[in-house]
Amino acid sequence: MDAEGWVLLAVEKLGWATEREIIRWLDEAGEELSRLELQRALAALLAGGRLEQKGELYRRATPKGAKSAFDALFED
């Protein structure tokens, strides 16, 4: 698994998480990433819409396809 995959897995397991919490989870899982690698992975996941950021916290992005389909179906 690449760095982005590990970071995404960590965020899925942790829910809302800071960089420090993600690093700690990765260390416990046996995967070591530098802060620079983590920041690059987070930036790529944010740019790809797979993560959301609120302040210093990250979480898995909520799927928006179902909501937009539902809204379009029942639009007045």
Side-chain angles (χ1 to χ4, degrees):
M1 193 176 330
D2 64 348
E4 289 179 26
W6 278 108
V7 171
L8 194 56
L9 179 62
V11 172
E12 284 177 356
K13 298 293 183 182
L14 294 168
W16 285 103
T18 63
E19 286 184 20
R20 173 179 258 172
E21 292 168 332
I22 296 168
I23 289 280
R24 186 177 330 133
W25 189 93
L26 291 171
D27 286 343
E28 291 173 2
E31 184 64 29
E32 293 186 26
L33 290 180
S34 69
R35 289 239 181 233
L36 182 58
E37 289 174 313
L38 174 63
Q39 290 170 349
R40 286 180 182 161
L42 288 170
L45 291 167
L46 285 168
R50 298 177 72 191
L51 286 182
E52 296 176 352
Q53 182 179 13
K54 185 173 184 180
E56 294 182 7
L57 298 173
Y58 298 91
R59 76 168 179 176
R60 184 82 190 249
T62 55
K64 294 177 177 37
K67 181 180 180 340
S68 63
F70 183 82
D71 291 343
L73 183 63
F74 293 104
E75 188 175 84
D76 289 336

